[in-house]
Amino acid sequence: MLAERLPATLELALLASVVAVLGGVALGVYTAIRRDGWASRALMTLSLVGVSLPTFLIGIGLIYLFADVCINLVVDLVYLLVDPRLRRA
């Protein structure tokens, strides 16, 4: 059971690492080039908060954020598929 799921796990871990490194380097270069801009300060503040907070708090916040987004998406899809007239405004 573990052996059959290992390739998918490794693929997800590798892809997440590549995205994190590429995004981090790109945002770091942007922040270094435009030091006094508002976007640069916002990125630096967000990165400082992300490094300072414990991982479990960030995890709980992301679960809350994505659970809310996904639940609303599922509810909208159900309304759309079951009866388009029930669509929320």
Side-chain angles (χ1 to χ4, degrees), residues 2-67:
L2 183 63
E4 70 186 31
R5 295 183 181 164
L6 186 63
T9 301
L10 291 176
E11 181 182 359
L12 283 173
L14 182 64
L15 183 62
S17 298
V18 168
V19 169
V21 167
L22 290 177
V25 168
L27 292 175
V29 168
Y30 175 80
T31 301
I33 291 173
R34 301 186 182 265
R35 264 193 161 147
D36 296 325
W38 66 270
S40 174
R41 293 199 185 272
L43 286 171
M44 286 191 292
T45 302
L46 186 64
S47 66
L48 181 65
V49 168
V51 168
S52 300
L53 281 176
T55 307
F56 66 90
L57 284 180
I58 295 172
I60 290 170
L62 289 174
I63 288 171
Y64 181 74
L65 173 73
F66 287 119

